[in-house]
């Protein structure tokens, strides 16, 4: 790979030299002729799907999600924010005035939260898709599907 790159650079520099009026020998022409570079044929390449389905590893009881879930506001550890999940599938924001939660749904281990923003130009409805990594009586750990690997959001139940 490095040899091919260096050969290409030498051909480029030799070409610049010729364009500037320099001369090159016929030996250099045959050694650095770019028509001699072989390119692998990829027309028969097989593409393997890189997405692998993983079976649900966490059984989630929707009844355990009902309630108020809060977490510290970033940079303001004494302030809390979160959401309230109700029995009827409705949701509400807690201490978030521009992000308004509307409803929620559980699909296997995935929590869907419909929301929209208020007080901003774009008020379109968005569905936050999060995978539930942990759920106990007091703790909820979510992984937003569009987040970086390893990122999680941790909530605690508000009594």
């Amino acid at each position: 790979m490095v040899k091919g790159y260096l050969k290409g650079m030498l051909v480029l520099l030799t070409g610049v030299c010729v364009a500037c009026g320099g001369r090159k020998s016929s030996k250099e022409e045959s050694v650095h002729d770019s028509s001699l570079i072989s390119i692998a044929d990829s027309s028969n390449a097989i593409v393997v799907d890189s997405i692998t389905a993983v079976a649900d590893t966490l059984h989630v009881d929707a009844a355990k999600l009902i309630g108020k879930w809060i977490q510290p506001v970033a940079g303001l550890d004494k302030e809390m924010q979160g959401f309230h999940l109700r029995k009827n599938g409705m949701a509400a924001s807690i201490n978030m005035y521009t992000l308004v939660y509307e409803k929620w749904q559980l699909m296997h281990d995935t929590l869907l939260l419909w929301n929209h923003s208020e007080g901003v130009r774009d008020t379109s409805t968005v569905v936050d898709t999060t995978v539930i990594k942990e759920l106990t009586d007091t703790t909820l750990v979510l992984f937003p599907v569009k987040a970086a690997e390893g990122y999680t959001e941790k909530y605690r139940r508000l009594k």
Side-chain angles (χ1 to χ4, degrees):
M1 180 80 176
V2 173
K3 284 184 180 180
Y5 175 77
L6 292 175
K7 281 183 182 180
M9 289 302 294
L10 185 56
V11 169
L12 177 66
L13 291 173
T14 303
V16 170
C17 181
V18 169
C20 294
R23 299 180 56 106
K24 61 182 180 178
S25 69
S26 60
K27 183 179 179 186
E28 286 178 318
E29 287 177 19
S30 64
V31 171
H32 303 294
D33 184 358
S34 64
S35 66
L36 300 176
I37 298 173
S38 63
I39 299 174
D41 180 15
S42 63
S43 62
N44 295 328
I46 297 172
V47 177
V48 178
D49 190 0
S50 62
I51 299 174
T52 306
V54 177
D56 291 337
T57 57
L58 182 65
H59 173 71
V60 178
D61 181 6
K64 286 182 113 177
L65 286 169
I66 306 299
K68 296 178 181 179
W69 297 96
I70 58 171
Q71 68 180 173
V73 175
L76 302 171
D77 292 341
K78 292 182 181 180
E79 296 292 322
M80 300 303 236
Q81 66 183 10
F83 48 86
H84 182 185
L85 303 180
R86 297 188 173 114
K87 289 181 184 179
N88 60 1
M90 300 305 291
S93 302
I94 298 173
N95 204 22
M96 292 188 285
Y97 305 106
T98 58
L99 181 65
V100 178
Y101 287 110
E102 301 162 1
K103 62 182 182 175
W104 68 280
Q105 182 179 356
L106 178 65
M107 297 179 70
H108 305 289
D109 64 348
T110 303
L111 176 63
L112 305 171
L113 286 164
W114 280 259
N115 65 74
H116 70 274
S117 296
E118 287 188 355
V120 295
R121 185 172 293 178
D122 182 14
T123 60
S124 60
T125 299
V126 176
V127 180
D128 287 338
T129 306
T130 59
V131 176
I132 299 171
K133 293 294 188 178
E134 180 183 338
L135 176 60
T136 67
D137 291 338
T138 58
T139 305
L140 174 62
V141 179
L142 301 175
F143 169 69
V145 294
K146 292 186 179 181
E149 179 104 17
Y151 173 81
T152 57
E153 295 177 353
K154 298 176 183 176
Y155 295 88
R156 67 176 175 86
R157 185 181 298 274
L158 181 63
K159 301 266 180 180

mmCIF file of all heavy atoms in Angstrom, residues 90-134:
data_model
loop_
_atom_site.group_PDB
_atom_site.id
_atom_site.type_symbol
_atom_site.label_atom_id
_atom_site.label_comp_id
_atom_site.label_asym_id
_atom_site.label_seq_id
_atom_site.Cartn_x
_atom_site.Cartn_y
_atom_site.Cartn_z
ATOM 1 N N MET A 90 -50.247 8.426 28.331
ATOM 2 C CA MET A 90 -49.932 9.853 28.248
ATOM 3 C C MET A 90 -48.653 10.122 29.038
ATOM 4 O O MET A 90 -48.319 9.390 29.972
ATOM 5 C CB MET A 90 -51.083 10.707 28.801
ATOM 6 C CG MET A 90 -52.404 10.492 28.051
ATOM 7 S SD MET A 90 -52.297 10.759 26.261
ATOM 8 C CE MET A 90 -52.052 12.507 26.173
ATOM 9 N N ALA A 91 -47.951 11.176 28.652
ATOM 10 C CA ALA A 91 -46.699 11.552 29.316
ATOM 11 C C ALA A 91 -46.689 13.058 29.538
ATOM 12 O O ALA A 91 -47.357 13.808 28.828
ATOM 13 C CB ALA A 91 -45.507 11.126 28.467
ATOM 14 N N ALA A 92 -45.917 13.482 30.519
ATOM 15 C CA ALA A 92 -45.764 14.908 30.803
ATOM 16 C C ALA A 92 -44.313 15.180 31.193
ATOM 17 O O ALA A 92 -43.629 14.305 31.724
ATOM 18 C CB ALA A 92 -46.699 15.310 31.943
ATOM 19 N N SER A 93 -43.872 16.387 30.913
ATOM 20 C CA SER A 93 -42.518 16.802 31.279
ATOM 21 C C SER A 93 -42.489 17.248 32.726
ATOM 22 O O SER A 93 -43.478 17.759 33.253
ATOM 23 C CB SER A 93 -42.077 17.977 30.402
ATOM 24 O OG SER A 93 -42.134 17.624 29.051
ATOM 25 N N ILE A 94 -41.351 17.052 33.360
ATOM 26 C CA ILE A 94 -41.141 17.549 34.717
ATOM 27 C C ILE A 94 -39.990 18.547 34.665
ATOM 28 O O ILE A 94 -38.859 18.191 34.309
ATOM 29 C CB ILE A 94 -40.795 16.400 35.695
ATOM 30 C CG1 ILE A 94 -41.955 15.403 35.781
ATOM 31 C CG2 ILE A 94 -40.431 16.962 37.081
ATOM 32 C CD1 ILE A 94 -41.649 14.163 36.593
ATOM 33 N N ASN A 95 -40.285 19.799 34.991
ATOM 34 C CA ASN A 95 -39.292 20.867 35.069
ATOM 35 C C ASN A 95 -38.561 21.103 33.745
ATOM 36 O O ASN A 95 -37.410 21.498 33.730
ATOM 37 C CB ASN A 95 -38.286 20.589 36.198
ATOM 38 C CG ASN A 95 -37.636 21.863 36.703
ATOM 39 O OD1 ASN A 95 -38.169 22.954 36.537
ATOM 40 N ND2 ASN A 95 -36.475 21.722 37.310
ATOM 41 N N MET A 96 -39.228 20.833 32.626
ATOM 42 C CA MET A 96 -38.691 21.141 31.297
ATOM 43 C C MET A 96 -39.767 21.937 30.575
ATOM 44 O O MET A 96 -40.818 21.392 30.236
ATOM 45 C CB MET A 96 -38.346 19.859 30.522
ATOM 46 C CG MET A 96 -37.185 19.112 31.115
ATOM 47 S SD MET A 96 -36.632 17.742 30.086
ATOM 48 C CE MET A 96 -37.916 16.543 30.392
ATOM 49 N N TYR A 97 -39.495 23.201 30.334
ATOM 50 C CA TYR A 97 -40.540 24.078 29.838
ATOM 51 C C TYR A 97 -40.580 24.167 28.320
ATOM 52 O O TYR A 97 -41.626 24.477 27.759
ATOM 53 C CB TYR A 97 -40.390 25.454 30.481
ATOM 54 C CG TYR A 97 -40.389 25.323 31.979
ATOM 55 C CD1 TYR A 97 -39.216 25.458 32.709
ATOM 56 C CD2 TYR A 97 -41.551 24.983 32.667
ATOM 57 C CE1 TYR A 97 -39.202 25.288 34.093
ATOM 58 C CE2 TYR A 97 -41.550 24.807 34.043
ATOM 59 C CZ TYR A 97 -40.377 24.969 34.749
ATOM 60 O OH TYR A 97 -40.372 24.781 36.100
ATOM 61 N N THR A 98 -39.486 23.890 27.657
ATOM 62 C CA THR A 98 -39.500 23.928 26.199
ATOM 63 C C THR A 98 -39.713 22.550 25.584
ATOM 64 O O THR A 98 -40.187 22.438 24.471
ATOM 65 C CB THR A 98 -38.189 24.523 25.642
ATOM 66 O OG1 THR A 98 -37.091 23.750 26.109
ATOM 67 C CG2 THR A 98 -38.025 25.965 26.066
ATOM 68 N N LEU A 99 -39.373 21.485 26.313
ATOM 69 C CA LEU A 99 -39.582 20.120 25.824
ATOM 70 C C LEU A 99 -40.841 19.565 26.481
ATOM 71 O O LEU A 99 -40.871 19.350 27.697
ATOM 72 C CB LEU A 99 -38.380 19.230 26.144
ATOM 73 C CG LEU A 99 -38.472 17.791 25.653
ATOM 74 C CD1 LEU A 99 -38.499 17.737 24.129
ATOM 75 C CD2 LEU A 99 -37.299 16.983 26.178
ATOM 76 N N VAL A 100 -41.871 19.331 25.677
ATOM 77 C CA VAL A 100 -43.160 18.893 26.199
ATOM 78 C C VAL A 100 -43.413 17.445 25.758
ATOM 79 O O VAL A 100 -43.538 17.169 24.559
ATOM 80 C CB VAL A 100 -44.296 19.806 25.683
ATOM 81 C CG1 VAL A 100 -45.649 19.330 26.195
ATOM 82 C CG2 VAL A 100 -44.028 21.240 26.080
ATOM 83 N N TYR A 101 -43.458 16.532 26.728
ATOM 84 C CA TYR A 101 -43.782 15.138 26.428
ATOM 85 C C TYR A 101 -45.287 14.996 26.296
ATOM 86 O O TYR A 101 -46.048 15.595 27.050
ATOM 87 C CB TYR A 101 -43.257 14.202 27.527
ATOM 88 C CG TYR A 101 -41.767 14.034 27.484
ATOM 89 C CD1 TYR A 101 -40.956 14.585 28.466
ATOM 90 C CD2 TYR A 101 -41.163 13.330 26.454
ATOM 91 C CE1 TYR A 101 -39.582 14.424 28.423
ATOM 92 C CE2 TYR A 101 -39.784 13.174 26.400
ATOM 93 C CZ TYR A 101 -39.009 13.723 27.391
ATOM 94 O OH TYR A 101 -37.647 13.576 27.335
ATOM 95 N N GLU A 102 -45.725 14.181 25.324
ATOM 96 C CA GLU A 102 -47.140 14.018 25.037
ATOM 97 C C GLU A 102 -47.646 12.622 25.386
ATOM 98 O O GLU A 102 -48.667 12.475 26.047
ATOM 99 C CB GLU A 102 -47.398 14.300 23.559
ATOM 100 C CG GLU A 102 -46.979 15.692 23.142
ATOM 101 C CD GLU A 102 -46.825 15.838 21.640
ATOM 102 O OE1 GLU A 102 -47.053 14.865 20.897
ATOM 103 O OE2 GLU A 102 -46.459 16.934 21.211
ATOM 104 N N LYS A 103 -46.942 11.596 24.880
ATOM 105 C CA LYS A 103 -47.374 10.221 25.125
ATOM 106 C C LYS A 103 -46.168 9.298 25.090
ATOM 107 O O LYS A 103 -45.076 9.698 24.706
ATOM 108 C CB LYS A 103 -48.427 9.777 24.104
ATOM 109 C CG LYS A 103 -47.950 9.756 22.668
ATOM 110 C CD LYS A 103 -49.086 9.351 21.751
ATOM 111 C CE LYS A 103 -48.631 9.278 20.305
ATOM 112 N NZ LYS A 103 -49.676 8.770 19.419
ATOM 113 N N TRP A 104 -46.403 8.050 25.499
ATOM 114 C CA TRP A 104 -45.326 7.064 25.518
ATOM 115 C C TRP A 104 -45.871 5.698 25.134
ATOM 116 O O TRP A 104 -47.077 5.452 25.203
ATOM 117 C CB TRP A 104 -44.638 7.012 26.873
ATOM 118 C CG TRP A 104 -45.495 6.458 27.990
ATOM 119 C CD1 TRP A 104 -46.453 7.135 28.696
ATOM 120 C CD2 TRP A 104 -45.490 5.131 28.500
ATOM 121 N NE1 TRP A 104 -47.034 6.306 29.625
ATOM 122 C CE2 TRP A 104 -46.462 5.062 29.526
ATOM 123 C CE3 TRP A 104 -44.762 3.985 28.211
ATOM 124 C CZ2 TRP A 104 -46.717 3.904 30.249
ATOM 125 C CZ3 TRP A 104 -45.014 2.827 28.935
ATOM 126 C CH2 TRP A 104 -45.971 2.797 29.942
ATOM 127 N N GLN A 105 -44.947 4.825 24.706
ATOM 128 C CA GLN A 105 -45.314 3.456 24.356
ATOM 129 C C GLN A 105 -44.102 2.569 24.604
ATOM 130 O O GLN A 105 -42.954 2.987 24.394
ATOM 131 C CB GLN A 105 -45.716 3.378 22.880
ATOM 132 C CG GLN A 105 -46.152 2.004 22.437
ATOM 133 C CD GLN A 105 -46.564 1.990 20.967
ATOM 134 O OE1 GLN A 105 -46.598 3.010 20.297
ATOM 135 N NE2 GLN A 105 -46.877 0.817 20.476
ATOM 136 N N LEU A 106 -44.359 1.357 25.057
ATOM 137 C CA LEU A 106 -43.300 0.378 25.292
ATOM 138 C C LEU A 106 -43.398 -0.707 24.231
ATOM 139 O O LEU A 106 -44.467 -1.280 24.016
ATOM 140 C CB LEU A 106 -43.439 -0.238 26.688
ATOM 141 C CG LEU A 106 -42.424 -1.316 27.049
ATOM 142 C CD1 LEU A 106 -41.011 -0.735 27.120
ATOM 143 C CD2 LEU A 106 -42.789 -1.973 28.363
ATOM 144 N N MET A 107 -42.286 -0.990 23.572
ATOM 145 C CA MET A 107 -42.210 -2.073 22.588
ATOM 146 C C MET A 107 -41.025 -2.946 22.973
ATOM 147 O O MET A 107 -39.876 -2.561 22.744
ATOM 148 C CB MET A 107 -42.031 -1.519 21.177
ATOM 149 C CG MET A 107 -43.207 -0.673 20.716
ATOM 150 S SD MET A 107 -42.985 -0.007 19.078
ATOM 151 C CE MET A 107 -43.105 -1.482 18.097
ATOM 152 N N HIS A 108 -41.319 -4.092 23.612
ATOM 153 C CA HIS A 108 -40.300 -5.012 24.130
ATOM 154 C C HIS A 108 -39.437 -4.289 25.158
ATOM 155 O O HIS A 108 -39.905 -4.007 26.241
ATOM 156 C CB HIS A 108 -39.458 -5.619 23.007
ATOM 157 C CG HIS A 108 -40.278 -6.305 21.965
ATOM 158 N ND1 HIS A 108 -40.919 -7.495 22.193
ATOM 159 C CD2 HIS A 108 -40.580 -5.953 20.694
ATOM 160 C CE1 HIS A 108 -41.578 -7.851 21.110
ATOM 161 N NE2 HIS A 108 -41.391 -6.938 20.182
ATOM 162 N N ASP A 109 -38.183 -3.947 24.812
ATOM 163 C CA ASP A 109 -37.306 -3.226 25.735
ATOM 164 C C ASP A 109 -37.058 -1.795 25.268
ATOM 165 O O ASP A 109 -36.125 -1.148 25.700
ATOM 166 C CB ASP A 109 -35.983 -3.976 25.901
ATOM 167 C CG ASP A 109 -35.194 -4.057 24.607
ATOM 168 O OD1 ASP A 109 -35.758 -3.732 23.538
ATOM 169 O OD2 ASP A 109 -34.022 -4.439 24.646
ATOM 170 N N THR A 110 -37.908 -1.296 24.382
ATOM 171 C CA THR A 110 -37.728 0.034 23.808
ATOM 172 C C THR A 110 -38.846 0.965 24.258
ATOM 173 O O THR A 110 -40.024 0.657 24.085
ATOM 174 C CB THR A 110 -37.693 -0.048 22.272
ATOM 175 O OG1 THR A 110 -36.648 -0.949 21.892
ATOM 176 C CG2 THR A 110 -37.432 1.310 21.656
ATOM 177 N N LEU A 111 -38.450 2.096 24.826
ATOM 178 C CA LEU A 111 -39.396 3.112 25.277
ATOM 179 C C LEU A 111 -39.449 4.216 24.230
ATOM 180 O O LEU A 111 -38.420 4.794 23.882
ATOM 181 C CB LEU A 111 -38.951 3.687 26.627
ATOM 182 C CG LEU A 111 -39.791 4.836 27.187
ATOM 183 C CD1 LEU A 111 -41.225 4.385 27.460
ATOM 184 C CD2 LEU A 111 -39.138 5.399 28.448
ATOM 185 N N LEU A 112 -40.642 4.486 23.712
ATOM 186 C CA LEU A 112 -40.865 5.556 22.745
ATOM 187 C C LEU A 112 -41.545 6.711 23.466
ATOM 188 O O LEU A 112 -42.569 6.511 24.132
ATOM 189 C CB LEU A 112 -41.740 5.072 21.594
ATOM 190 C CG LEU A 112 -41.241 3.831 20.854
ATOM 191 C CD1 LEU A 112 -42.295 3.326 19.880
ATOM 192 C CD2 LEU A 112 -39.948 4.126 20.131
ATOM 193 N N LEU A 113 -40.991 7.907 23.344
ATOM 194 C CA LEU A 113 -41.538 9.098 23.988
ATOM 195 C C LEU A 113 -41.803 10.168 22.930
ATOM 196 O O LEU A 113 -40.867 10.681 22.308
ATOM 197 C CB LEU A 113 -40.552 9.662 25.019
ATOM 198 C CG LEU A 113 -40.408 8.902 26.320
ATOM 199 C CD1 LEU A 113 -39.150 9.320 27.052
ATOM 200 C CD2 LEU A 113 -41.629 9.141 27.189
ATOM 201 N N TRP A 114 -43.080 10.504 22.710
ATOM 202 C CA TRP A 114 -43.442 11.545 21.766
ATOM 203 C C TRP A 114 -43.315 12.886 22.469
ATOM 204 O O TRP A 114 -43.782 13.051 23.596
ATOM 205 C CB TRP A 114 -44.877 11.363 21.294
ATOM 206 C CG TRP A 114 -45.050 10.340 20.225
ATOM 207 C CD1 TRP A 114 -45.204 10.585 18.892
ATOM 208 C CD2 TRP A 114 -45.129 8.920 20.375
ATOM 209 N NE1 TRP A 114 -45.355 9.391 18.222
ATOM 210 C CE2 TRP A 114 -45.309 8.354 19.104
ATOM 211 C CE3 TRP A 114 -45.037 8.052 21.480
ATOM 212 C CZ2 TRP A 114 -45.421 7.001 18.890
ATOM 213 C CZ3 TRP A 114 -45.140 6.687 21.276
ATOM 214 C CH2 TRP A 114 -45.328 6.172 19.988
ATOM 215 N N ASN A 115 -42.711 13.861 21.807
ATOM 216 C CA ASN A 115 -42.556 15.180 22.397
ATOM 217 C C ASN A 115 -42.489 16.240 21.309
ATOM 218 O O ASN A 115 -42.309 15.940 20.131
ATOM 219 C CB ASN A 115 -41.305 15.229 23.276
ATOM 220 C CG ASN A 115 -40.035 15.038 22.485
ATOM 221 O OD1 ASN A 115 -39.592 15.923 21.774
ATOM 222 N ND2 ASN A 115 -39.428 13.857 22.584
ATOM 223 N N HIS A 116 -42.631 17.477 21.724
ATOM 224 C CA HIS A 116 -42.419 18.625 20.844
ATOM 225 C C HIS A 116 -41.829 19.762 21.677
ATOM 226 O O HIS A 116 -41.850 19.715 22.910
ATOM 227 C CB HIS A 116 -43.721 19.062 20.155
ATOM 228 C CG HIS A 116 -44.721 19.684 21.076
ATOM 229 N ND1 HIS A 116 -45.628 18.946 21.794
ATOM 230 C CD2 HIS A 116 -44.933 20.979 21.416
ATOM 231 C CE1 HIS A 116 -46.371 19.763 22.524
ATOM 232 N NE2 HIS A 116 -45.967 21.005 22.326
ATOM 233 N N SER A 117 -41.287 20.742 21.000
ATOM 234 C CA SER A 117 -40.699 21.890 21.687
ATOM 235 C C SER A 117 -41.652 23.070 21.631
ATOM 236 O O SER A 117 -42.350 23.273 20.639
ATOM 237 C CB SER A 117 -39.371 22.284 21.036
ATOM 238 O OG SER A 117 -38.449 21.241 21.175
ATOM 239 N N GLU A 118 -41.668 23.841 22.693
ATOM 240 C CA GLU A 118 -42.458 25.071 22.741
ATOM 241 C C GLU A 118 -41.519 26.237 22.954
ATOM 242 O O GLU A 118 -40.474 26.093 23.587
ATOM 243 C CB GLU A 118 -43.497 25.016 23.863
ATOM 244 C CG GLU A 118 -44.641 24.095 23.549
ATOM 245 C CD GLU A 118 -45.777 24.184 24.565
ATOM 246 O OE1 GLU A 118 -45.639 24.905 25.573
ATOM 247 O OE2 GLU A 118 -46.797 23.522 24.341
ATOM 248 N N GLY A 119 -41.912 27.387 22.420
ATOM 249 C CA GLY A 119 -41.100 28.581 22.593
ATOM 250 C C GLY A 119 -39.933 28.639 21.620
ATOM 251 O O GLY A 119 -39.025 29.451 21.781
ATOM 252 N N VAL A 120 -39.940 27.788 20.621
ATOM 253 C CA VAL A 120 -38.901 27.791 19.585
ATOM 254 C C VAL A 120 -39.585 27.806 18.224
ATOM 255 O O VAL A 120 -40.786 27.556 18.109
ATOM 256 C CB VAL A 120 -37.967 26.559 19.704
ATOM 257 C CG1 VAL A 120 -37.176 26.599 20.990
ATOM 258 C CG2 VAL A 120 -38.738 25.270 19.597
ATOM 259 N N ARG A 121 -38.822 28.086 17.198
ATOM 260 C CA ARG A 121 -39.389 28.200 15.851
ATOM 261 C C ARG A 121 -39.939 26.864 15.346
ATOM 262 O O ARG A 121 -41.027 26.788 14.826
ATOM 263 C CB ARG A 121 -38.325 28.733 14.896
ATOM 264 C CG ARG A 121 -38.869 28.999 13.518
ATOM 265 C CD ARG A 121 -37.859 29.695 12.669
ATOM 266 N NE ARG A 121 -37.653 31.025 13.242
ATOM 267 C CZ ARG A 121 -36.803 31.914 12.794
ATOM 268 N NH1 ARG A 121 -36.055 31.612 11.780
ATOM 269 N NH2 ARG A 121 -36.671 33.088 13.356
ATOM 270 N N ASP A 122 -39.173 25.777 15.498
ATOM 271 C CA ASP A 122 -39.597 24.467 15.008
ATOM 272 C C ASP A 122 -40.314 23.713 16.133
ATOM 273 O O ASP A 122 -39.701 23.310 17.110
ATOM 274 C CB ASP A 122 -38.391 23.663 14.528
ATOM 275 C CG ASP A 122 -38.767 22.313 13.952
ATOM 276 O OD1 ASP A 122 -39.961 22.089 13.683
ATOM 277 O OD2 ASP A 122 -37.863 21.478 13.764
ATOM 278 N N THR A 123 -41.611 23.518 15.972
ATOM 279 C CA THR A 123 -42.400 22.846 17.010
ATOM 280 C C THR A 123 -42.862 21.466 16.558
ATOM 281 O O THR A 123 -43.854 20.944 17.053
ATOM 282 C CB THR A 123 -43.629 23.691 17.386
ATOM 283 O OG1 THR A 123 -44.432 23.872 16.211
ATOM 284 C CG2 THR A 123 -43.234 25.036 17.968
ATOM 285 N N SER A 124 -42.148 20.862 15.619
ATOM 286 C CA SER A 124 -42.556 19.556 15.098
ATOM 287 C C SER A 124 -42.451 18.475 16.183
ATOM 288 O O SER A 124 -41.643 18.555 17.096
ATOM 289 C CB SER A 124 -41.706 19.168 13.891
ATOM 290 O OG SER A 124 -40.351 19.102 14.256
ATOM 291 N N THR A 125 -43.294 17.462 16.037
ATOM 292 C CA THR A 125 -43.305 16.349 16.983
ATOM 293 C C THR A 125 -42.151 15.410 16.684
ATOM 294 O O THR A 125 -41.871 15.084 15.540
ATOM 295 C CB THR A 125 -44.644 15.590 16.908
ATOM 296 O OG1 THR A 125 -45.692 16.491 17.262
ATOM 297 C CG2 THR A 125 -44.662 14.400 17.844
ATOM 298 N N VAL A 126 -41.480 14.965 17.739
ATOM 299 C CA VAL A 126 -40.339 14.063 17.639
ATOM 300 C C VAL A 126 -40.637 12.853 18.515
ATOM 301 O O VAL A 126 -41.281 12.972 19.548
ATOM 302 C CB VAL A 126 -39.056 14.766 18.140
ATOM 303 C CG1 VAL A 126 -37.880 13.820 18.150
ATOM 304 C CG2 VAL A 126 -38.756 15.992 17.301
ATOM 305 N N VAL A 127 -40.159 11.687 18.093
ATOM 306 C CA VAL A 127 -40.299 10.492 18.913
ATOM 307 C C VAL A 127 -38.914 10.079 19.379
ATOM 308 O O VAL A 127 -38.078 9.681 18.570
ATOM 309 C CB VAL A 127 -40.960 9.330 18.140
ATOM 310 C CG1 VAL A 127 -41.087 8.108 19.033
ATOM 311 C CG2 VAL A 127 -42.308 9.746 17.583
ATOM 312 N N ASP A 128 -38.652 10.235 20.674
ATOM 313 C CA ASP A 128 -37.385 9.776 21.245
ATOM 314 C C ASP A 128 -37.460 8.261 21.382
ATOM 315 O O ASP A 128 -38.396 7.731 21.975
ATOM 316 C CB ASP A 128 -37.143 10.393 22.624
ATOM 317 C CG ASP A 128 -36.785 11.870 22.551
ATOM 318 O OD1 ASP A 128 -36.326 12.321 21.488
ATOM 319 O OD2 ASP A 128 -36.957 12.560 23.569
ATOM 320 N N THR A 129 -36.473 7.570 20.843
ATOM 321 C CA THR A 129 -36.421 6.115 20.905
ATOM 322 C C THR A 129 -35.261 5.724 21.804
ATOM 323 O O THR A 129 -34.117 6.042 21.517
ATOM 324 C CB THR A 129 -36.238 5.518 19.499
ATOM 325 O OG1 THR A 129 -37.277 6.030 18.658
ATOM 326 C CG2 THR A 129 -36.292 4.009 19.533
ATOM 327 N N THR A 130 -35.586 5.048 22.909
ATOM 328 C CA THR A 130 -34.567 4.669 23.875
ATOM 329 C C THR A 130 -34.716 3.200 24.247
ATOM 330 O O THR A 130 -35.826 2.690 24.370
ATOM 331 C CB THR A 130 -34.675 5.523 25.156
ATOM 332 O OG1 THR A 130 -35.974 5.350 25.717
ATOM 333 C CG2 THR A 130 -34.449 6.993 24.874
ATOM 334 N N VAL A 131 -33.584 2.540 24.413
ATOM 335 C CA VAL A 131 -33.581 1.148 24.852
ATOM 336 C C VAL A 131 -33.416 1.134 26.368
ATOM 337 O O VAL A 131 -32.540 1.819 26.908
ATOM 338 C CB VAL A 131 -32.431 0.364 24.184
ATOM 339 C CG1 VAL A 131 -32.367 -1.063 24.712
ATOM 340 C CG2 VAL A 131 -32.600 0.367 22.671
ATOM 341 N N ILE A 132 -34.265 0.390 27.040
ATOM 342 C CA ILE A 132 -34.191 0.296 28.493
ATOM 343 C C ILE A 132 -33.085 -0.689 28.844
ATOM 344 O O ILE A 132 -33.164 -1.870 28.516
ATOM 345 C CB ILE A 132 -35.539 -0.141 29.085
ATOM 346 C CG1 ILE A 132 -36.611 0.890 28.734
ATOM 347 C CG2 ILE A 132 -35.433 -0.335 30.602
ATOM 348 C CD1 ILE A 132 -38.015 0.470 29.073
ATOM 349 N N LYS A 133 -32.053 -0.188 29.510
ATOM 350 C CA LYS A 133 -30.925 -1.022 29.908
ATOM 351 C C LYS A 133 -31.106 -1.585 31.307
ATOM 352 O O LYS A 133 -30.591 -2.654 31.622
ATOM 353 C CB LYS A 133 -29.612 -0.220 29.841
ATOM 354 C CG LYS A 133 -29.212 0.165 28.441
ATOM 355 C CD LYS A 133 -28.891 -1.070 27.649
ATOM 356 C CE LYS A 133 -28.299 -0.744 26.300
ATOM 357 N NZ LYS A 133 -27.940 -1.933 25.559
ATOM 358 N N GLU A 134 -31.824 -0.842 32.163
ATOM 359 C CA GLU A 134 -32.052 -1.288 33.537
ATOM 360 C C GLU A 134 -33.349 -0.672 34.038
ATOM 361 O O GLU A 134 -33.631 0.503 33.795
ATOM 362 C CB GLU A 134 -30.889 -0.847 34.425
ATOM 363 C CG GLU A 134 -31.011 -1.263 35.869
ATOM 364 C CD GLU A 134 -29.861 -0.750 36.736
ATOM 365 O OE1 GLU A 134 -28.783 -0.445 36.198
ATOM 366 O OE2 GLU A 134 -30.067 -0.658 37.955
#
